[in-house]
Amino acid sequence: MANYDLTKLSELINHFNNLPKPSFDKLIEVLSSDAISGFSEDKRLHLWDRLKKLTTKHRRFSDAVWVLSDELLSSIETVANKLAPTTPFYLYQHLFSNRDFDLYEEKGHWEEQQKKLNERRQKAVEEILKLGGIESVIQFAEAAESVLGQVGHFLGRIANEEIDRVLIPKYLETENHKLSSFIKGYIWSRYYTNGWSWADELDKSGWADGHFSQFLRYLPFAIETWDRVEKWLANLQGDYWLKINVNPYQADNALDIAIEKLIEHKRPNAAINCLERMRSDKQPINLDLCVKALIDALSSSEPSSSMDPYHVVELIKMLQETPEVNPDDLFRVEWAYLPFLDGHYEATPKSLENRLANDPEFFCKLIRLIYRSKNSNIATNNPSEKTQAIATNAYQLLDEWRTLPGMQEDGSLNDFHFSTWLYRVKEICMESGHLEVAFIHIGQVLIHCPPDTNGLWINQTVADALNARDAEDMRDGFHTGIYNSLGARFVDPTGKPELELAEQYRQKAEQVENAGYQRFAVTLRSLSESYERDAQRARQSDWFEEG
């Protein structure tokens, strides 16, 4: 069916090792034919390249079960040799691939394999330059598969001033993607081989402003380049900082300079990546710049992919652990990035939680942001996106709140602090019409209460609050908080885990009842009964069959 169609034959080569013997032999026969050999080198190049990759792969993994026999491989190699190009322009194109691994001729010793591959590439560029001059090398770079600047890189190792004059600045602003990669690899290699003296002494008499900026963007992202940005570009430095591909790992020091410039030119996400490099290297960080980069990133026009959540969270954790940070700045940052502080990266909104635990007015403000007052029958129609986002943040913060009012660093509870905080919340929320929902959220956080010093499993001041006549909503919140705290879990068809929980809360109910907290005991018994019902449902599930 493929006949002598080069495209179809090329596709068939990928399936050589899956063909039955008659079809294998027929494909060998067609590829060996004079008709195929009669095609020009450029047309049969793809066939030869596929054959070369196939045989290289099978030779490299000679001990694998899927490898063709030596006899069959030899027959393919014979065909490949017959179709191999003779001119360097075509013969060496397969060396410049984006997949170096496919070009390794042996298994293992990867560093040595890479070294050998680079030596072959270097000789290929030298031969093409010797036979056809610089124009042949440029054409070769356009024809090669790779867009990683490999051809330019190996040319740069052997180039001279004459080649510099041909390539620079002519190709600095080319829109051809392969040629831009070629010149980037060339400039980097020339710098790497000859140092800064080459860049400084290069003839720049005919360069336009854009040439200077592009040339500098092809040099390392380091202070030596930034010094030349300031010197060569003067008032046009923005063009460099707006377009530079930021690589913090090329800069050994002075990243704070880059951070200031990136923030100045509206690239806070790039600045955050530099700040994270400094943090991971334990370099001193300008805290004000860190806060500004994090806040500015919220409204940045940079691509969303340029923000790395891990970097953001690590910087926030660093700010949380630094006493010198302005508390108001930390509050703003945590509030802005609250969705990132859900524990996924082992980070929580410590400042916001402490504010909740110490400032009853702040707690009540969050409640009002989320819920409508019982004193008002007027619903808010079509809230703005900003209002919805604020309410979402407020709800997430309250839903994930774990720090009780009055909680001390040693894990104990300051009874007076807790009582005064709760009293003030009652005052504010009764007046605003939000007491019921406030009590529900308070009840949910009280599940994290420490035991009492007298041995009771819960602090007695907290138990008093939960047992109060007017605290039914708080007890409901406690019930819900306990029940939801287990999260998603596997259902044991025996119901054993649920029965153990039922017994645990039955005992806790008895303990608090004996301590005089009858209303609270009713809530705990209800919780115990809920787990008993769960156990019964688990045992009666349709999908469970005995044996």
Side-chain angles (χ1 to χ4, degrees):
M1 290 172 65
N3 200 12
Y4 295 99
D5 185 311
L6 297 183
T7 301
K8 293 178 179 178
L9 289 173
S10 178
E11 181 64 27
L12 272 178
I13 290 171
N14 288 338
H15 303 278
F16 236 135
N17 55 329
N18 296 321
L19 294 178
K21 189 63 167 60
S23 300
F24 183 99
D25 293 340
K26 181 63 177 177
L27 183 54
I28 289 288
E29 178 186 337
V30 171
L31 293 172
S32 303
S33 67
D34 291 339
I36 298 297
S37 300
F39 283 108
S40 60
E41 287 189 350
D42 62 321
K43 290 184 177 180
R44 66 173 191 261
L45 178 63
H46 202 50
L47 291 179
W48 172 75
D49 185 47
R50 289 282 179 94
L51 291 169
K52 186 74 174 174
K53 287 179 179 177
L54 175 70
T55 56
T56 299
K57 179 180 179 180
H58 280 251
R59 292 295 186 193
R60 187 168 69 242
F61 297 101
S62 57
D63 56 348
V65 296
W66 46 264
V67 168
L68 292 169
S69 68
D70 186 70
E71 179 185 355
L72 296 179
L73 274 178
S74 296
S75 64
I76 297 174
E77 287 170 337
T78 300
V79 175
N81 292 334
K82 185 176 182 180
L83 298 180
T86 58
T87 59
F89 186 89
Y90 296 112
L91 180 63
Y92 297 133
Q93 282 188 25
H94 75 285
L95 294 176
F96 295 87
S97 162
N98 294 329
R99 291 178 54 83
D100 288 3
F101 182 78
D102 290 343
L103 298 168
Y104 295 162
E105 295 180 339
E106 300 174 16
K107 187 168 66 173
H109 308 291
W110 308 126
E111 291 184 3
E112 184 64 27
Q113 291 291 307
Q114 186 66 52
K115 181 180 178 181
K116 290 180 179 180
L117 175 59
N118 288 341
E119 289 173 353
R120 293 163 64 197
R121 287 168 169 168
Q122 186 69 65
K123 290 179 181 178
V125 171
E126 290 175 3
E127 187 173 344
I128 293 169
L129 179 64
K130 182 178 179 180
L131 292 175
I134 186 60
E135 291 301 328
S136 291
V137 178
I138 295 171
Q139 292 170 12
F140 181 78
E142 284 192 279
E145 176 187 339
S146 174
V147 293
L148 301 177
Q150 296 167 342
V151 177
H153 174 81
F154 291 102
L155 176 64
R157 290 183 175 186
I158 57 172
N160 52 33
E161 292 182 6
E162 182 180 350
I163 295 178
D164 287 342
R165 285 192 291 271
V166 172
L167 299 180
I168 308 173
K170 180 179 179 180
Y171 292 100
L172 282 176
E173 293 187 307
T174 177
E175 295 183 1
N176 183 313
H177 188 46
K178 285 193 173 182
L179 288 182
S180 65
S181 297
F182 164 75
I183 195 65
K184 179 180 180 179
Y186 177 83
I187 291 172
W188 181 273
S189 181
R190 288 289 278 158
Y191 152 76
Y192 187 81
T193 304
N194 301 283
W196 285 107
S197 59
W198 169 78
D200 293 335
E201 294 168 9
L202 202 61
D203 181 11
K204 309 177 187 68
S205 56
W207 289 23
D209 291 336
H211 294 148
F212 283 94
S213 179
Q214 186 63 71
F215 179 78
L216 289 163
R217 291 199 295 274
Y218 288 155
L219 294 171
F221 186 70
I223 189 170
E224 293 84 359
T225 302
W226 309 332
D227 288 341
R228 288 163 177 79
V229 168
E230 186 173 359
K231 180 180 178 181
W232 296 356
L233 297 182
N235 295 329
L236 301 175
Q237 296 179 47
D239 189 56
Y240 171 87
W241 291 107
L242 285 169
K243 299 176 182 178
I244 182 63
N245 181 26
V246 175
N247 185 348
Y249 293 92
Q250 291 177 356
D252 293 329
N253 51 42
L255 269 174
D256 52 330
I257 294 174
I259 291 166
E260 284 195 60
K261 290 292 186 180
L262 291 167
I263 293 175
E264 177 186 344
H265 292 92
K266 313 300 183 187
R267 297 189 63 189
N269 286 329
I272 286 171
N273 293 335
C274 293
L275 285 160
E276 170 55 17
R277 167 74 198 281
M278 294 182 70
R279 185 207 65 80
S280 64
D281 285 351
K282 296 181 171 54
Q283 298 180 33
I285 290 177
N286 184 315
L287 299 175
D288 291 336
L289 280 180
C290 184
V291 170
K292 181 168 177 54
L294 288 168
I295 295 300
D296 288 359
L298 297 167
S299 56
S300 173
S301 58
E302 296 168 278
S304 57
S305 59
S306 66
M307 174 180 281
D308 188 322
Y310 175 78
H311 289 177
V312 169
V313 170
E314 288 302 308
L315 290 175
I316 293 175
K317 287 162 66 175
M318 180 271 296
L319 293 176
Q320 291 174 335
E321 296 165 2
T322 306
E324 294 79 13
V325 174
N326 185 310
D328 291 338
D329 287 341
L330 183 56
F331 178 90
R332 286 195 302 144
V333 169
E334 286 188 354
W335 179 262
Y337 289 97
L338 190 59
F340 288 14
L341 305 178
D342 58 358
H344 183 68
Y345 294 105
E346 299 182 355
T348 57
K350 295 180 180 180
S351 175
L352 292 174
E353 288 209 356
N354 288 332
R355 179 82 173 268
L356 276 172
N358 289 284
D359 186 349
E361 281 80 6
F362 177 61
F363 170 80
C364 296
K365 181 178 181 180
L366 294 186
I367 292 292
R368 292 195 299 272
L369 288 172
I370 305 169
Y371 301 102
R372 188 172 73 238
S373 170
K374 281 188 64 178
N375 301 336
S376 173
N377 294 322
I378 302 175
T380 303
N381 294 322
N382 301 320
S384 66
E385 289 187 9
K386 182 178 180 180
T387 300
Q388 292 182 52
I390 292 173
T392 299
N393 260 18
Y395 185 82
Q396 179 183 332
L397 178 57
L398 289 178
D399 189 54
E400 297 176 0
W401 181 29
R402 301 291 182 270
T403 306
L404 270 72
M407 184 66 76
Q408 308 296 298
E409 290 186 5
D410 63 0
S412 63
L413 193 71
N414 183 316
D415 296 345
F416 177 76
H417 183 106
F418 172 79
S419 298
T420 54
W421 182 94
L422 183 59
Y423 180 80
R424 181 59 181 149
V425 167
K426 286 183 180 181
E427 282 188 329
I428 298 172
C429 289
M430 282 184 67
E431 182 177 347
S432 68
H434 294 89
L435 186 60
E436 289 84 353
V437 289
F439 268 15
I440 289 173
H441 280 283
I442 294 170
Q444 289 173 350
V445 78
L446 293 183
I447 69 173
H448 304 288
C449 178
D452 197 87
T453 55
N454 69 0
L456 188 64
W457 63 269
I458 188 170
N459 177 279
Q460 285 197 324
T461 301
V462 173
D464 280 332
L466 284 164
N467 194 64
R469 186 185 298 275
D470 62 350
E472 183 177 353
D473 293 305
M474 197 186 302
R475 292 191 289 273
D476 288 344
F478 189 91
H479 185 291
T480 302
I482 291 291
Y483 196 78
N484 291 341
S485 64
L486 295 179
R489 63 192 189 278
F490 172 76
V491 177
D492 186 335
T494 67
K496 182 179 177 181
E498 286 74 18
L499 290 175
E500 290 175 349
L501 288 168
E503 179 60 24
Q504 175 186 335
Y505 283 100
R506 186 182 298 109
Q507 292 179 11
K508 287 187 174 184
E510 291 178 2
Q511 292 174 30
V512 297
E513 186 172 46
N514 292 336
Y517 305 115
Q518 288 81 10
R519 298 185 187 90
F520 186 30
V522 171
T523 298
L524 295 174
R525 287 198 178 90
S526 173
L527 187 60
S528 174
E529 292 166 0
S530 295
Y531 285 124
E532 286 182 340
R533 288 192 294 272
D534 287 347
Q536 186 177 4
R537 280 195 293 269
R539 291 196 299 267
Q540 295 176 349
S541 295
D542 293 337
W543 53 265
F544 176 67
E545 294 182 4
E546 294 271 341

